[in-house]
Amino acid sequence: MAILTMKELLECGVHFGHRTRKWNPKMARYIYTERKGIHIIDLGKTLELFERAYNFVREQAAQGKDILFVGTKKQVQATIEEEARRCGAHWVNRRWLGGTLTNFETIRRRVLYMLELERNLEEGAFERLPLKERIKLEKQLAKLRCNLDGLREMEKLPGVVYVVDPTIEVHAVREANILGIPIVAICDTNCDPDFIDYPIPGNDDAIKATRLITSRIADAVIEGREGLQTEEAPAPAEAPEEAEQEAEAAIPSMDEIPLDETELEEHYEEMLEELIEEGDKEV
């Protein structure tokens, strides 16, 4: 059974890139064409690179290495936490604190302090404190939970960092590169894939697209930790060749895929809305 299908990618809009004027030339090899000022990603390459990334994550999880999910954009925060919880990984979905990886010992001490505050709160120690001090500690605990909740069980550096939009999570990417930690990332047409060990070309803005790919990466973690084997039963000598031919036939060429004009218009409008929102924030 295919890990991911072309139909799923199309339905979730994974093939929609950024506006042509915002592209990174290093992503040219992953771009199929341009329509109405928007780059269209080659889903054939997306499938190929996703399978490579999936197998790598599964192997690392099978070796007992920790996986860290990173995505702080508003539209992916819920997905990152939900899928990380489901597969037992760690996550950062609010704010990347500088030194989360390169200064891990300090971050770990803050996590232990957060756990101590939670323990005191549960035991009722806060109730014996003056009101002003109790409020101060409660606010401090809330802030720590917001930034470090997904790292509470991470006692060592992760073996893999999974990132949604490495352009936004540039600090996470740099720290992982410094420490030599492999990175798996969804790379849109405005990203630089040179800093990513296992790039997955795709739309990193749409909720459906990021949820689809993130959920499958979480599946890889679960599969690796459960030690599942995907080897199929032995088949006749001619079966492998037939299977290859069927697989090739099952993956349509981008030339055969209709690029709906209505979908392009809707995606363009969404991108304009995002641009307006960004402009309002800057003001």
Side-chain angles (χ1 to χ4, degrees):
M1 184 179 177
I3 299 170
L4 197 60
T5 65
M6 185 74 79
K7 182 180 178 182
E8 289 175 319
L9 294 176
L10 284 168
E11 288 176 347
C12 295
V14 178
H15 54 302
F16 292 124
H18 277 274
R19 288 164 295 169
T20 52
R21 64 186 180 86
K22 287 186 66 178
W23 79 311
N24 188 319
K26 293 181 181 180
M27 286 294 292
R29 59 186 180 271
Y30 305 124
I31 295 173
Y32 171 67
T33 187
E34 175 265 328
R35 291 286 180 86
K36 290 187 175 292
I38 298 173
H39 276 131
I40 304 299
I41 296 168
D42 189 339
L43 294 184
K45 293 182 179 178
T46 299
L47 283 173
E48 178 185 343
L49 292 172
F50 175 80
E51 185 173 353
R52 177 170 167 262
Y54 183 97
N55 292 332
F56 172 74
V57 171
R58 183 179 61 189
E59 289 170 5
Q60 296 301 303
Q63 294 174 17
K65 295 185 179 179
D66 290 338
I67 315 296
L68 176 62
F69 284 45
V70 181
T72 59
K73 293 196 299 187
K74 186 176 181 180
Q75 61 265 42
V76 303
Q77 288 177 352
T79 299
I80 287 292
E81 180 175 351
E82 179 183 330
E83 295 300 331
R85 284 183 182 276
R86 183 170 70 87
C87 68
H90 314 293
W91 74 90
V92 173
N93 70 335
R94 295 294 177 183
R95 178 190 169 199
W96 180 268
L97 299 178
T100 296
L101 297 178
T102 53
N103 194 17
F104 179 69
E105 291 183 5
T106 300
I107 296 296
R108 184 60 188 166
R109 284 198 294 270
R110 296 303 293 170
V111 171
L112 293 176
Y113 177 60
M114 177 186 72
L115 296 176
E116 182 183 350
L117 288 178
E118 289 180 339
R119 194 161 48 248
N120 291 337
L121 180 62
E122 291 175 0
E123 294 174 355
F126 281 15
E127 297 177 3
R128 297 191 291 270
L129 296 173
L131 179 61
K132 187 175 181 179
E133 187 174 348
R134 185 176 67 196
I135 292 174
K136 180 181 177 181
L137 288 176
E138 287 175 348
K139 287 182 178 180
Q140 193 173 23
L141 177 57
K143 186 176 180 180
L144 288 170
R145 280 174 171 171
C146 179
N147 294 324
L148 302 174
D149 192 45
L151 304 176
R152 61 173 61 234
E153 296 180 5
M154 193 170 83
E155 299 178 354
K156 59 182 180 180
L157 288 172
V160 180
V161 176
Y162 168 70
V163 176
V164 176
D165 196 345
T167 302
I168 296 293
E169 314 304 341
V170 60
H171 299 297
V173 171
R174 285 176 180 170
E175 290 189 28
N177 286 334
I178 290 171
L179 297 175
I181 300 174
I183 302 173
V184 176
I186 302 177
C187 295
D188 213 324
T189 55
N190 65 331
C191 297
D192 186 348
D194 288 354
F195 297 102
I196 310 301
D197 300 278
Y198 295 86
I200 304 172
N203 186 343
D204 62 12
D205 295 308
I207 295 176
K208 286 184 179 180
T210 53
R211 182 178 292 277
L212 173 67
I213 295 176
T214 303
S215 66
R216 298 305 164 87
I217 293 295
D219 290 342
V221 177
I222 294 171
E223 187 176 334
R225 289 183 175 170
E226 291 180 351
L228 297 177
Q229 299 297 323
T230 57
E231 295 180 2
E232 297 181 357
E238 296 181 1
E241 294 180 4
E242 293 176 0
E244 277 184 26
Q245 292 175 358
E246 290 179 3
E248 289 177 2
I251 300 178
S253 166
M254 287 296 291
D255 295 328
E256 302 172 6
I257 297 172
L259 298 174
D260 191 277
E261 297 294 330
T262 305
E263 289 186 5
L264 285 169
E265 290 288 353
E266 291 176 354
H267 183 64
Y268 187 70
E269 290 177 5
E270 289 176 4
M271 293 178 70
L272 286 177
E273 289 177 4
E274 290 176 7
L275 183 63
I276 293 170
E277 289 179 2
E278 290 176 5
D280 292 340
K281 290 178 182 177
E282 291 177 0
V283 173

